[in-house]
Amino acid sequence: MSALIFGLLALLLIGPVPNALSKAEWPKRAPRAALVLWQAVAIAAVLSAFSAGLAIASRLLVLGPDGRPTTAPLDEISVLGWPLWILYVLVFALTLLVGARLIVAAVRVGFHTRRRRSHHRMVVDLLDHPMELRGRPASASLRILDTMQPVAYCLPGIRHRIVLSEGTYSALDDAEIQAVLAHERAHLRARHDLVLEAFTAVYEAFPRVVRSKTALGSVRLLIEMLADDTARRVAGTTPLARALVACAGAHTPAGAMAVGGSDTLVRIQRLGLGGNNSRVALCAYAGAATLLVVPTVAVALPWLTEISRLLRSP
């Protein structure tokens, strides 16, 4: 029964729950809390999937002739029967497969992302325009590209870069430039790239037939909203909105985090909603805590009980 409950919970947290959460409007009023809730959903989905597999695998620990738990396949088959034993083994193997895919996805995403950023960082260092532009701040990480298209993005990492173009300085005034810089620095300071990597790894670990296609897009949008909030506090709402419009059509290289993008209109509309809602945020934090605590306790208690029983057996 516990395996069935955990399995259903994992399926809900992988597909229907992310789909419903991605269509909700309230995250726009509490993006930080919504991002925490998204993280809780992802962690709870992984925990539930592993819990279902482990609950099934625990049924393989049948008692042998001496009354102690045994892992001998022939003894297990004699107690469970062939059909049930094969089913339990397949479920346990599927659990191990998901775990292996999660590890491989995390390593692959991290490796490829850092390799792309390293290559692009070398390119922008070579193409950095040396001339002094209006309002260019003294920053060792800032790079200016010699192009008239408004471009603004950052390359996260230990050796991070903020990349702007001459067109950005031509199209924006000083306040709008400050909004752009504040936006990108918010990404770098909060390491939003690591959040995206974690979600990408979880997304790739589960089979395509059950995982949600909208989760990554929703998380990216929330991260941009958080950076927008920082930029709005630094430069104001109007300069930020103008900067978003100017940079909306800019091309963003793989692995970078840009001011503009396909969701610019949604972000500009959100700026007109006013500040964030603390009550909505509190409810989201409570939901995230519940998602993390309940599955953890539900997993820990049965396993502690089973271990205690096995230790007491003669």
Side-chain angles (χ1 to χ4, degrees):
M1 182 61 68
S2 60
L4 179 61
I5 293 174
F6 281 124
L8 292 175
L9 181 60
L11 291 176
L12 287 174
L13 294 174
I14 295 169
V17 171
N19 287 333
L21 188 55
S22 65
K23 297 176 182 177
E25 292 294 324
W26 66 263
K28 298 178 182 178
R29 304 301 303 273
R32 189 178 304 278
L35 185 59
V36 171
L37 180 59
W38 271 109
Q39 291 173 311
V41 168
I43 294 173
V46 173
L47 286 176
S48 299
F50 279 105
S51 300
L54 293 176
I56 288 291
S58 67
R59 309 308 301 173
L60 294 173
L61 297 176
V62 298
L63 298 180
D66 58 355
R68 295 183 177 276
T70 177
T71 57
L74 293 180
D75 293 337
E76 296 167 358
I77 294 171
S78 64
V79 174
L80 300 174
W82 274 103
L84 202 56
W85 182 82
I86 293 175
L87 176 63
Y88 288 170
V89 170
L90 289 177
V91 172
F92 184 57
L94 181 61
T95 304
L96 295 179
L97 178 61
V98 171
R101 284 172 60 92
L102 182 60
I103 295 174
V104 171
V107 173
R108 183 176 63 250
V109 170
F111 175 76
H112 288 302
T113 300
R114 281 157 182 77
R115 185 176 63 177
R116 286 192 298 265
R117 287 176 185 160
S118 177
H119 174 74
H120 195 76
R121 182 170 56 244
M122 178 183 64
V123 172
V124 297
D125 286 348
L126 292 174
L127 297 179
D128 182 34
H129 203 277
M131 68 178 294
E132 292 296 327
L133 296 173
R134 168 182 55 83
R136 175 172 180 169
S139 174
S141 63
L142 181 63
R143 299 293 181 267
I144 307 297
L145 301 182
D146 185 12
T147 175
M148 294 311 297
Q149 181 187 15
V151 173
Y153 59 87
C154 67
L155 297 170
I158 298 177
R159 298 171 56 203
H160 60 262
R161 297 289 186 270
I162 297 177
V163 182
L164 304 182
S165 67
E166 289 190 36
T168 304
Y169 280 91
S170 300
L172 306 181
D173 61 26
D174 291 343
E176 292 159 4
I177 291 292
Q178 290 302 315
V180 169
L181 293 174
H183 180 101
E184 300 303 341
R185 287 167 180 161
H187 283 318
L188 298 174
R189 183 169 54 251
R191 292 309 306 267
H192 289 153
D193 57 304
L194 298 181
V195 178
L196 283 177
E197 285 184 23
F199 271 93
T200 303
V202 173
Y203 173 80
E204 293 185 359
F206 287 97
R208 294 182 180 181
V209 294
V210 296
R211 66 192 183 192
S212 172
K213 296 181 180 180
T214 60
L216 281 177
S218 298
V219 170
R220 289 192 182 99
L221 179 58
L222 289 174
I223 285 175
E224 293 301 329
M225 289 179 180
L226 287 176
D228 288 343
D229 287 343
T230 299
R232 177 165 52 179
R233 289 192 295 269
V234 172
T237 300
T238 301
L240 173 60
R242 290 175 178 171
L244 291 177
V245 172
C247 300
H251 172 71
T252 305
M257 307 187 74
V259 170
S262 59
D263 54 10
T264 299
L265 179 60
V266 175
R267 292 159 57 194
I268 293 176
Q269 292 173 342
R270 172 183 173 267
L271 295 177
L273 298 177
N276 295 329
N277 190 312
S278 58
R279 292 183 179 179
V280 172
L282 184 62
C283 292
Y285 285 130
T290 302
L291 278 176
L292 290 177
V293 171
V294 172
T296 302
V297 173
V299 172
L301 288 180
W303 277 94
L304 291 175
T305 302
E306 184 68 15
I307 291 174
S308 177
R309 182 184 68 82
L310 292 176
L311 291 176
R312 291 197 305 267
S313 62

